[in-house]
Amino acid sequence: MCKINIRYARPSDIPALTKVHHSAWQQTYKKVVPELAEITPESYFQKYWTGLFSDQSNDRIGIIAENEFGDIMGFISYGPTSELIMNKADMDLSKAEHVGEIEKLYVNIDLPSERKEKGVAYRLFAHAMKDMNKNGNEEMLVRSFSFNKLADGFYTRQGAIVKTEDPFLMLQTRDVPGERPFMIYTPNILFHLPSIKLFLAKENVADLLAQEPMLNIPNATTHHKTVFQEASGYGL
């Protein structure tokens, strides 16, 4: 059994997060949308994580699960939702500041069995909900492809309900100059957790958060932009 530490992501995690994200993406989609898995370059995920730390307009927060060996076991990113998503969910825009959104949630499946542990996604989700609640969010939205049955089942078990389902256009490219992006239309499910506080009040959730608090590591805070500026090796 591995010891799991939950902490905020920091700029020095970018290389490892990029590799884990890229691999998890390929493993998730190679059987259902092989073209999407094949053409998405590792640089796409590096841009995502670099942007999370460096882009002043990016309000996303990243949390990682790390084992005792220093391996990233999984990650979650989240933050404020958008007007577009609120409209899709047919929700009152005046409540947008109290609605958070999960953007990414993946588990590292490439680790050997002795470095893995069950319940990584659940731990990440619980800590993210606690952080959202602390930041004033009362409800949560998250999008998932309908063919990702594992993710759909996970969010349903946490108490989220299907708000809507609609076609989703994804544009992806290899970052090759002059190359047209690959396009795919796929059903996109929008899940809604009506009450973050009710989720956190569940006995098993409260026990988990009490037994496994977030690690307080210097420079690993929600103030990603400031930390990024101070980090070595990643200039803007």
Side-chain angles (χ1 to χ4, degrees), residues 38-111:
E38 291 170 4
I39 73 164
T40 309
E42 192 170 290
S43 60
Y44 170 84
F45 304 99
Q46 183 178 17
K47 286 180 179 179
Y48 174 82
W49 289 105
T50 301
L52 185 142
F53 288 99
S54 64
D55 186 352
Q56 297 297 321
S57 64
N58 191 330
D59 294 322
R60 292 295 188 260
I61 296 170
I63 290 179
I64 69 171
E66 185 178 55
N67 63 23
E68 59 204 272
F69 306 103
D71 302 313
I72 291 180
M73 306 173 77
F75 61 82
I76 187 169
S77 62
Y78 54 94
T81 192
S82 66
E83 183 176 320
L84 173 64
I85 300 304
M86 289 287 287
N87 282 329
K88 283 183 175 293
D90 194 26
M91 297 174 70
D92 186 350
L93 291 179
S94 66
K95 297 181 179 179
E97 63 179 309
H98 300 298
V99 181
E101 180 185 350
I102 290 178
E103 191 166 78
K104 313 288 183 186
L105 174 55
Y106 286 98
V107 172
N108 186 354
I109 60 176
D110 291 331
L111 293 174

Side-chain angles (χ1 to χ4, degrees), residues 151-210:
D152 296 348
F154 173 81
Y155 293 123
T156 299
R157 289 193 299 275
Q158 310 320 314
I161 58 175
V162 175
K163 196 69 175 175
T164 186
E165 182 173 351
D166 60 3
F168 177 74
L169 172 62
M170 172 173 281
L171 298 176
Q172 193 56 274
T173 177
R174 295 188 183 90
D175 292 334
V176 177
E179 182 179 282
R180 296 184 63 183
F182 171 78
M183 293 183 292
I184 176 174
Y185 282 96
T186 183
N188 183 269
I189 298 176
L190 182 60
F191 287 95
H192 176 223
L193 186 67
S195 175
I196 292 176
K197 286 186 177 180
L198 284 180
F199 170 80
L200 293 173
K202 293 180 180 179
E203 185 176 354
N204 58 328
V205 177
D207 288 346
L208 169 67
L209 294 173

Side-chain angles (χ1 to χ4, degrees), residues 215-230:
L215 288 186
N216 183 15
I217 298 177
N219 283 346
T221 71
T222 56
H223 303 291
H224 288 324
K225 314 307 177 288
T226 301
V227 175
F228 189 93
Q229 300 286 353
E230 298 171 351

Side-chain angles (χ1 to χ4, degrees), residues 124-144:
L124 289 166
F125 183 86
H127 279 282
M129 292 304 99
K130 181 180 179 180
D131 209 38
M132 279 190 182
N133 181 63
K134 182 182 68 177
N135 293 333
N137 296 137
E138 299 172 358
E139 304 172 56
M140 183 277 296
L141 294 169
V142 59
R143 290 174 292 173
S144 174

